Every structure is written in structure tokens, then in C-alpha cells.
Amino acid sequence: MSERKVLTKYYPPDFDPSAITRTPKHLRPTGPKVITVRLMAPFSMKCTSCGEYIYRGRKFNARKETTEEKYFSIPIYRFYIRCTRCSGEITFVTDPKNMDYRAEKGAKRNFEPWRDASNDNKDETEQEVLDRLEREEGENAEQEERDKMAELEEKMLDSKREMAIADALDEIRTRNARIERGGALGEEAALATVKEQVDEAALRAQQEDEEAARKAFMTETGEKVKRLVEDESTPEQATTPAPAPSFARVKKKKPMANSLGIKKKAKPSLV
């Protein structure tokens, strides 16, 4: 049995190295390393060839390529995918500066409104970025302090409300206990109180009616208003007071001719 791990190899006399088709590793041309990976679309995009929309999260078998570009010693990778409709090639690269991906060729990224505000800070210097972060941190601290004050005030209001509710419950319990101790006497006292209140209300209403009537039949000077009797007689008769009626029996006087015994002549008849 031959030795498995040998230190020397046998080369026959007619060995020709140029006949070997496989290129040694140290003689291969250098270039970007490409491997096949399984990934999901990092953003929604639209194919520029056919207009197909590719939503975020769709899975693809992509080719991953390591580029020569770097961002602070962080390598940038390029990915190749195919459109699901026209099979056009789409490429996008990593963006470590913004912690995102950037469309490169074959597709256009859809508009995202929440990313539009972040584009205003692209041209900021390091000092401006530090100042902005410090300012935002101070605003956040003030907001937290205000939130704490509001929370403290809310707790105080809750405690006051609970104390008021407890006082009201104690008052209700005391009243109920007093009513239970009183029993029937308490009910009679309550009925008497209600009756007194009703009588007082009726008396007050009567007094108000009398006062209204008194004011209605009095002038501004305080004199009472007299009732005027309307009559169709002449002014003179109206001023002369009428005689009081008498119920005494009055004898009718006979005419003078009867007393002298004179008889009236009968009128001659015309027939």
C-alpha cells in the first residue's frame, strides 16, 4: 500500500505543463468577486424598460459583486437581479453612508415622502451635523422635562379628584347611618320638613299674588284706583245722585171729576 501523504511527486519525462487546461490560482486574472445569493428587494422600484413595479421584499436569486469602492474601510457591494416581466438586468449598490441601498441601473426607485426631508441634510459639514444633533438633543431634553411636569400635574389632579370622591363617599355614608339610626322618627321628621317646605312655598306664592294685585290697583302716588261706572244719561243727570228706592205703599189719587159727581158725556157714535 502506497503512502497517502507524500512529500514529493513524480513527474514523468514526457510531462508538458502547457497541456493542463486548468489555470492556476496565482495565474488567474484578478477582478471583482461574484457569488450567487438569495435576497429580497430592499426598496420598491419601477423597471425602466417595461414599467413593471417591483415591491419591497420580493425575493430574487441575485449575483453579489464586491466593488473596489469603500466608505471608511467599509466595502460597497453591487447586486444584479432580473425584472420579473421583461428579464431586464437591474443593479443596485449598498449605501453605508445613509445605511440604505441606491438604485444604479435598470430601475428607478419609487418616491418615498419620509426620505425627502432627510435629503436636506446631505451637504452638511461635520460641525453642522454636531450642532444639529446637539440642538435636537436639547429640544428632546426640554420636551422630556415638560412631559414630566405635565405628568406630575396630572398626578396631582388625580389625587385631588380621589380626595374629593372620598369626602363625598364619607358624607353619603354618614347621612345613611343617621337615617338608619333615626328609623321611623327620621322618616316623620323628613315628612314634617317636606310639609313645612310646601307650606312655606304656598304662603310665599300667596304673598306674591297679593303684592302683585296691590301694585296693579294702586297709582304711582300710592292712591287706590276707583272703579268708574259708565252711563248713557246726560251729564247733568249723571252728576245728580239718584233717589234711594222706597218700598212704602202709595195710594193713587182719583181725578177731580169723580169727586164732584160730574159724569163724562159719551161721545156720539158716527155710525
Side-chain angles (χ1 to χ4, degrees), residues 79-119:
F79 298 91
Y80 298 87
I81 61 175
R82 294 283 180 178
C83 177
T84 56
R85 183 176 180 183
C86 65
S87 298
E89 189 177 58
I90 300 172
T91 62
F92 56 89
V93 296
T94 58
D95 188 7
K97 181 179 179 179
N98 299 320
M99 295 181 292
D100 200 359
Y101 293 83
R102 177 168 47 87
E104 191 176 39
K105 186 180 70 174
K108 181 180 179 182
R109 184 166 184 167
N110 293 339
F111 175 71
E112 296 173 348
W114 59 86
R115 293 175 53 83
D116 191 36
S118 62
N119 294 335

Short mmCIF file of all heavy atoms in Angstrom, two decimals, residues 79-119:
data_model
loop_
_atom_site.label_atom_id
_atom_site.label_comp_id
_atom_site.label_asym_id
_atom_site.label_seq_id
_atom_site.Cartn_x
_atom_site.Cartn_y
_atom_site.Cartn_z
N PHE A 79 -25.37 44.40 -6.55
CA PHE A 79 -26.24 43.24 -6.75
C PHE A 79 -26.89 43.34 -8.12
O PHE A 79 -27.33 44.42 -8.54
CB PHE A 79 -27.31 43.16 -5.66
CG PHE A 79 -26.76 43.00 -4.27
CD1 PHE A 79 -26.48 44.11 -3.48
CD2 PHE A 79 -26.50 41.74 -3.76
CE1 PHE A 79 -25.97 43.97 -2.20
CE2 PHE A 79 -25.98 41.59 -2.49
CZ PHE A 79 -25.70 42.72 -1.71
N TYR A 80 -26.98 42.17 -8.79
CA TYR A 80 -27.59 42.08 -10.11
C TYR A 80 -28.84 41.20 -9.98
O TYR A 80 -28.75 40.06 -9.51
CB TYR A 80 -26.62 41.45 -11.13
CG TYR A 80 -25.35 42.25 -11.36
CD1 TYR A 80 -24.25 42.07 -10.53
CD2 TYR A 80 -25.27 43.15 -12.41
CE1 TYR A 80 -23.08 42.78 -10.74
CE2 TYR A 80 -24.10 43.88 -12.63
CZ TYR A 80 -23.01 43.68 -11.78
OH TYR A 80 -21.86 44.39 -12.00
N ILE A 81 -29.99 41.74 -10.42
CA ILE A 81 -31.23 40.95 -10.44
C ILE A 81 -31.88 41.12 -11.81
O ILE A 81 -31.43 41.93 -12.64
CB ILE A 81 -32.22 41.38 -9.32
CG1 ILE A 81 -32.62 42.86 -9.49
CG2 ILE A 81 -31.63 41.13 -7.95
CD1 ILE A 81 -33.68 43.32 -8.51
N ARG A 82 -32.93 40.36 -12.06
CA ARG A 82 -33.64 40.41 -13.34
C ARG A 82 -35.08 40.85 -13.10
O ARG A 82 -35.71 40.47 -12.10
CB ARG A 82 -33.64 39.03 -14.01
CG ARG A 82 -32.27 38.55 -14.44
CD ARG A 82 -31.85 39.23 -15.71
NE ARG A 82 -30.52 38.77 -16.14
CZ ARG A 82 -29.92 39.18 -17.26
NH1 ARG A 82 -30.53 40.06 -18.02
NH2 ARG A 82 -28.72 38.74 -17.57
N CYS A 83 -35.62 41.67 -14.02
CA CYS A 83 -37.02 42.11 -13.92
C CYS A 83 -37.92 40.90 -14.08
O CYS A 83 -37.67 40.00 -14.90
CB CYS A 83 -37.30 43.15 -15.00
SG CYS A 83 -39.03 43.69 -15.04
N THR A 84 -38.98 40.84 -13.34
CA THR A 84 -39.89 39.69 -13.36
C THR A 84 -40.74 39.65 -14.62
O THR A 84 -41.38 38.63 -14.90
CB THR A 84 -40.80 39.73 -12.13
OG1 THR A 84 -41.49 40.98 -12.10
CG2 THR A 84 -39.98 39.60 -10.86
N ARG A 85 -40.76 40.75 -15.38
CA ARG A 85 -41.62 40.79 -16.58
C ARG A 85 -40.80 40.72 -17.88
O ARG A 85 -41.09 39.91 -18.75
CB ARG A 85 -42.44 42.08 -16.55
CG ARG A 85 -43.42 42.21 -17.70
CD ARG A 85 -44.25 43.47 -17.53
NE ARG A 85 -45.20 43.66 -18.60
CZ ARG A 85 -46.00 44.70 -18.72
NH1 ARG A 85 -45.96 45.67 -17.78
NH2 ARG A 85 -46.84 44.80 -19.72
N CYS A 86 -39.79 41.58 -17.98
CA CYS A 86 -39.02 41.63 -19.23
C CYS A 86 -37.63 41.03 -19.09
O CYS A 86 -36.87 41.03 -20.07
CB CYS A 86 -38.90 43.07 -19.71
SG CYS A 86 -37.95 44.15 -18.60
N SER A 87 -37.28 40.55 -17.90
CA SER A 87 -35.97 39.94 -17.63
C SER A 87 -34.82 40.90 -17.87
O SER A 87 -33.69 40.48 -18.14
CB SER A 87 -35.77 38.67 -18.47
OG SER A 87 -36.75 37.72 -18.14
N GLY A 88 -35.11 42.21 -17.79
CA GLY A 88 -34.04 43.18 -17.92
C GLY A 88 -33.16 43.20 -16.67
O GLY A 88 -33.63 42.96 -15.55
N GLU A 89 -31.89 43.51 -16.87
CA GLU A 89 -30.96 43.49 -15.76
C GLU A 89 -31.10 44.76 -14.93
O GLU A 89 -31.15 45.87 -15.46
CB GLU A 89 -29.53 43.36 -16.27
CG GLU A 89 -28.52 43.11 -15.16
CD GLU A 89 -27.11 42.91 -15.70
OE1 GLU A 89 -26.61 43.82 -16.39
OE2 GLU A 89 -26.52 41.84 -15.41
N ILE A 90 -31.17 44.58 -13.63
CA ILE A 90 -31.30 45.69 -12.68
C ILE A 90 -30.17 45.57 -11.69
O ILE A 90 -29.91 44.49 -11.15
CB ILE A 90 -32.67 45.67 -11.95
CG1 ILE A 90 -33.82 45.78 -12.96
CG2 ILE A 90 -32.75 46.78 -10.91
CD1 ILE A 90 -35.19 45.58 -12.36
N THR A 91 -29.51 46.67 -11.44
CA THR A 91 -28.40 46.67 -10.49
C THR A 91 -28.65 47.74 -9.43
O THR A 91 -29.19 48.82 -9.72
CB THR A 91 -27.07 46.95 -11.19
OG1 THR A 91 -27.10 48.25 -11.79
CG2 THR A 91 -26.78 45.91 -12.25
N PHE A 92 -28.25 47.45 -8.20
CA PHE A 92 -28.27 48.43 -7.10
C PHE A 92 -27.11 48.12 -6.18
O PHE A 92 -26.61 46.99 -6.13
CB PHE A 92 -29.61 48.41 -6.35
CG PHE A 92 -29.99 47.07 -5.81
CD1 PHE A 92 -29.59 46.65 -4.54
CD2 PHE A 92 -30.76 46.19 -6.57
CE1 PHE A 92 -29.94 45.41 -4.05
CE2 PHE A 92 -31.12 44.95 -6.08
CZ PHE A 92 -30.71 44.56 -4.82
N VAL A 93 -26.64 49.14 -5.49
CA VAL A 93 -25.46 49.02 -4.64
C VAL A 93 -25.82 49.42 -3.22
O VAL A 93 -26.84 50.09 -2.97
CB VAL A 93 -24.30 49.90 -5.17
CG1 VAL A 93 -23.83 49.42 -6.52
CG2 VAL A 93 -24.70 51.36 -5.22
N THR A 94 -24.98 49.03 -2.29
CA THR A 94 -25.17 49.41 -0.89
C THR A 94 -24.71 50.85 -0.68
O THR A 94 -23.83 51.36 -1.39
CB THR A 94 -24.37 48.48 0.02
OG1 THR A 94 -22.99 48.54 -0.33
CG2 THR A 94 -24.88 47.05 -0.09
N ASP A 95 -25.34 51.51 0.31
CA ASP A 95 -25.02 52.90 0.64
C ASP A 95 -24.76 52.99 2.14
O ASP A 95 -25.65 53.32 2.94
CB ASP A 95 -26.18 53.81 0.24
CG ASP A 95 -25.83 55.28 0.38
OD1 ASP A 95 -24.65 55.58 0.65
OD2 ASP A 95 -26.73 56.12 0.20
N PRO A 96 -23.54 52.66 2.58
CA PRO A 96 -23.27 52.65 4.03
C PRO A 96 -23.33 54.03 4.67
O PRO A 96 -23.52 54.14 5.87
CB PRO A 96 -21.87 52.04 4.14
CG PRO A 96 -21.30 52.09 2.78
CD PRO A 96 -22.40 52.21 1.80
N LYS A 97 -23.17 55.09 3.88
CA LYS A 97 -23.23 56.44 4.45
C LYS A 97 -24.61 56.74 5.01
O LYS A 97 -24.76 57.29 6.10
CB LYS A 97 -22.85 57.46 3.38
CG LYS A 97 -22.87 58.89 3.89
CD LYS A 97 -22.46 59.85 2.78
CE LYS A 97 -22.49 61.30 3.30
NZ LYS A 97 -22.08 62.25 2.24
N ASN A 98 -25.64 56.37 4.25
CA ASN A 98 -27.03 56.61 4.67
C ASN A 98 -27.69 55.35 5.21
O ASN A 98 -28.90 55.36 5.45
CB ASN A 98 -27.86 57.14 3.50
CG ASN A 98 -27.32 58.46 2.99
OD1 ASN A 98 -26.92 59.32 3.77
ND2 ASN A 98 -27.30 58.61 1.67
N MET A 99 -26.90 54.26 5.37
CA MET A 99 -27.42 52.98 5.86
C MET A 99 -28.61 52.51 5.04
O MET A 99 -29.68 52.20 5.56
CB MET A 99 -27.80 53.10 7.35
CG MET A 99 -26.61 53.36 8.25
SD MET A 99 -27.07 53.47 9.99
CE MET A 99 -28.01 54.98 9.98
N ASP A 100 -28.42 52.52 3.71
CA ASP A 100 -29.51 52.19 2.80
C ASP A 100 -28.92 51.61 1.52
O ASP A 100 -27.71 51.35 1.43
CB ASP A 100 -30.34 53.43 2.52
CG ASP A 100 -31.73 53.09 2.00
OD1 ASP A 100 -32.02 51.90 1.86
OD2 ASP A 100 -32.50 54.03 1.73
N TYR A 101 -29.77 51.42 0.51
CA TYR A 101 -29.37 50.96 -0.82
C TYR A 101 -29.67 52.06 -1.84
O TYR A 101 -30.53 52.93 -1.61
CB TYR A 101 -30.11 49.68 -1.21
CG TYR A 101 -29.73 48.48 -0.37
CD1 TYR A 101 -30.32 48.26 0.87
CD2 TYR A 101 -28.78 47.56 -0.81
CE1 TYR A 101 -29.97 47.17 1.65
CE2 TYR A 101 -28.43 46.45 -0.05
CZ TYR A 101 -29.03 46.27 1.18
OH TYR A 101 -28.68 45.18 1.94
N ARG A 102 -28.96 52.00 -2.97
CA ARG A 102 -29.11 53.03 -4.01
C ARG A 102 -29.25 52.34 -5.35
O ARG A 102 -28.44 51.48 -5.73
CB ARG A 102 -27.90 53.96 -4.00
CG ARG A 102 -27.90 55.01 -5.08
CD ARG A 102 -26.82 56.05 -4.81
NE ARG A 102 -25.56 55.43 -4.46
CZ ARG A 102 -24.65 55.04 -5.37
NH1 ARG A 102 -24.88 55.19 -6.67
NH2 ARG A 102 -23.50 54.50 -4.97
N ALA A 103 -30.35 52.71 -6.09
CA ALA A 103 -30.57 52.14 -7.41
C ALA A 103 -29.50 52.67 -8.37
O ALA A 103 -29.20 53.87 -8.38
CB ALA A 103 -31.97 52.49 -7.91
N GLU A 104 -28.95 51.78 -9.20
CA GLU A 104 -27.85 52.17 -10.09
C GLU A 104 -28.24 52.11 -11.55
O GLU A 104 -28.01 53.06 -12.30
CB GLU A 104 -26.65 51.27 -9.82
CG GLU A 104 -25.37 51.74 -10.50
CD GLU A 104 -24.18 50.88 -10.14
OE1 GLU A 104 -24.36 49.64 -10.06
OE2 GLU A 104 -23.09 51.42 -9.95
N LYS A 105 -28.85 51.03 -12.02
CA LYS A 105 -29.14 50.88 -13.45
C LYS A 105 -30.30 49.91 -13.62
O LYS A 105 -30.45 48.96 -12.86
CB LYS A 105 -27.90 50.34 -14.19
CG LYS A 105 -28.06 50.27 -15.70
CD LYS A 105 -26.79 49.74 -16.36
CE LYS A 105 -26.63 48.26 -16.02
NZ LYS A 105 -25.50 47.65 -16.76
N GLY A 106 -31.15 50.19 -14.63
CA GLY A 106 -32.22 49.28 -14.99
C GLY A 106 -33.53 49.52 -14.27
O GLY A 106 -34.56 49.00 -14.69
N ALA A 107 -33.55 50.30 -13.19
CA ALA A 107 -34.78 50.55 -12.43
C ALA A 107 -34.69 51.92 -11.75
O ALA A 107 -33.59 52.45 -11.54
CB ALA A 107 -35.04 49.46 -11.41
N LYS A 108 -35.83 52.45 -11.43
CA LYS A 108 -35.92 53.74 -10.76
C LYS A 108 -36.65 53.55 -9.43
O LYS A 108 -37.71 52.91 -9.39
CB LYS A 108 -36.67 54.74 -11.64
CG LYS A 108 -36.79 56.12 -11.03
CD LYS A 108 -37.54 57.05 -11.98
CE LYS A 108 -37.68 58.44 -11.37
NZ LYS A 108 -38.45 59.34 -12.26
N ARG A 109 -36.07 54.10 -8.40
CA ARG A 109 -36.66 53.94 -7.06
C ARG A 109 -37.93 54.77 -6.95
O ARG A 109 -37.98 55.92 -7.41
CB ARG A 109 -35.66 54.35 -5.99
CG ARG A 109 -36.15 54.12 -4.58
CD ARG A 109 -35.01 54.23 -3.60
NE ARG A 109 -35.43 53.92 -2.25
CZ ARG A 109 -34.61 53.70 -1.24
NH1 ARG A 109 -33.30 53.76 -1.44
NH2 ARG A 109 -35.06 53.40 -0.05
N ASN A 110 -38.97 54.21 -6.34
CA ASN A 110 -40.23 54.93 -6.15
C ASN A 110 -40.04 56.05 -5.12
O ASN A 110 -39.18 55.98 -4.24
CB ASN A 110 -41.34 53.98 -5.69
CG ASN A 110 -41.70 52.99 -6.77
OD1 ASN A 110 -41.43 53.20 -7.95
ND2 ASN A 110 -42.31 51.88 -6.36
N PHE A 111 -40.89 57.08 -5.26
CA PHE A 111 -40.79 58.23 -4.35
C PHE A 111 -41.27 57.84 -2.95
O PHE A 111 -42.31 57.21 -2.79
CB PHE A 111 -41.66 59.38 -4.88
CG PHE A 111 -41.71 60.56 -3.95
CD1 PHE A 111 -40.60 61.37 -3.79
CD2 PHE A 111 -42.85 60.84 -3.23
CE1 PHE A 111 -40.65 62.46 -2.95
CE2 PHE A 111 -42.90 61.92 -2.38
CZ PHE A 111 -41.79 62.74 -2.24
N GLU A 112 -40.48 58.22 -1.97
CA GLU A 112 -40.80 57.95 -0.56
C GLU A 112 -40.79 59.28 0.18
O GLU A 112 -39.72 59.88 0.35
CB GLU A 112 -39.80 56.97 0.05
CG GLU A 112 -39.83 55.60 -0.62
CD GLU A 112 -38.71 54.70 -0.14
OE1 GLU A 112 -37.79 55.21 0.54
OE2 GLU A 112 -38.75 53.49 -0.44
N PRO A 113 -41.94 59.76 0.62
CA PRO A 113 -42.00 61.12 1.22
C PRO A 113 -41.21 61.23 2.51
O PRO A 113 -40.70 62.30 2.83
CB PRO A 113 -43.51 61.33 1.47
CG PRO A 113 -44.11 59.97 1.47
CD PRO A 113 -43.27 59.15 0.55
N TRP A 114 -41.07 60.15 3.27
CA TRP A 114 -40.33 60.25 4.53
C TRP A 114 -38.82 60.38 4.32
O TRP A 114 -38.10 60.75 5.22
CB TRP A 114 -40.62 59.03 5.41
CG TRP A 114 -40.27 57.73 4.79
CD1 TRP A 114 -39.07 57.09 4.78
CD2 TRP A 114 -41.16 56.91 4.05
NE1 TRP A 114 -39.15 55.91 4.09
CE2 TRP A 114 -40.43 55.76 3.63
CE3 TRP A 114 -42.51 57.01 3.70
CZ2 TRP A 114 -41.00 54.75 2.88
CZ3 TRP A 114 -43.08 55.99 2.96
CH2 TRP A 114 -42.33 54.88 2.56
N ARG A 115 -38.36 60.08 3.07
CA ARG A 115 -36.95 60.25 2.78
C ARG A 115 -36.64 61.62 2.21
O ARG A 115 -35.47 62.02 2.12
CB ARG A 115 -36.50 59.18 1.77
CG ARG A 115 -36.51 57.78 2.30
CD ARG A 115 -36.17 56.81 1.20
NE ARG A 115 -34.92 57.16 0.53
CZ ARG A 115 -33.71 56.85 0.97
NH1 ARG A 115 -33.58 56.14 2.09
NH2 ARG A 115 -32.63 57.21 0.32
N ASP A 116 -37.67 62.37 1.83
CA ASP A 116 -37.43 63.67 1.20
C ASP A 116 -36.84 64.67 2.19
O ASP A 116 -36.02 65.49 1.82
CB ASP A 116 -38.75 64.20 0.62
CG ASP A 116 -38.53 65.41 -0.26
OD1 ASP A 116 -37.50 65.44 -0.94
OD2 ASP A 116 -39.38 66.31 -0.25
N ALA A 117 -37.30 64.63 3.44
CA ALA A 117 -36.79 65.56 4.44
C ALA A 117 -35.33 65.28 4.77
O ALA A 117 -34.55 66.18 5.07
CB ALA A 117 -37.64 65.50 5.71
N SER A 118 -34.92 64.00 4.71
CA SER A 118 -33.55 63.67 5.04
C SER A 118 -32.56 64.12 3.98
O SER A 118 -31.37 64.25 4.22
CB SER A 118 -33.41 62.16 5.25
OG SER A 118 -33.72 61.47 4.05
N ASN A 119 -33.07 64.39 2.74
CA ASN A 119 -32.17 64.83 1.68
C ASN A 119 -31.68 66.26 1.90
O ASN A 119 -30.73 66.69 1.26
CB ASN A 119 -32.87 64.74 0.33
CG ASN A 119 -33.19 63.30 -0.05
OD1 ASN A 119 -32.51 62.39 0.41
ND2 ASN A 119 -34.20 63.10 -0.86
#
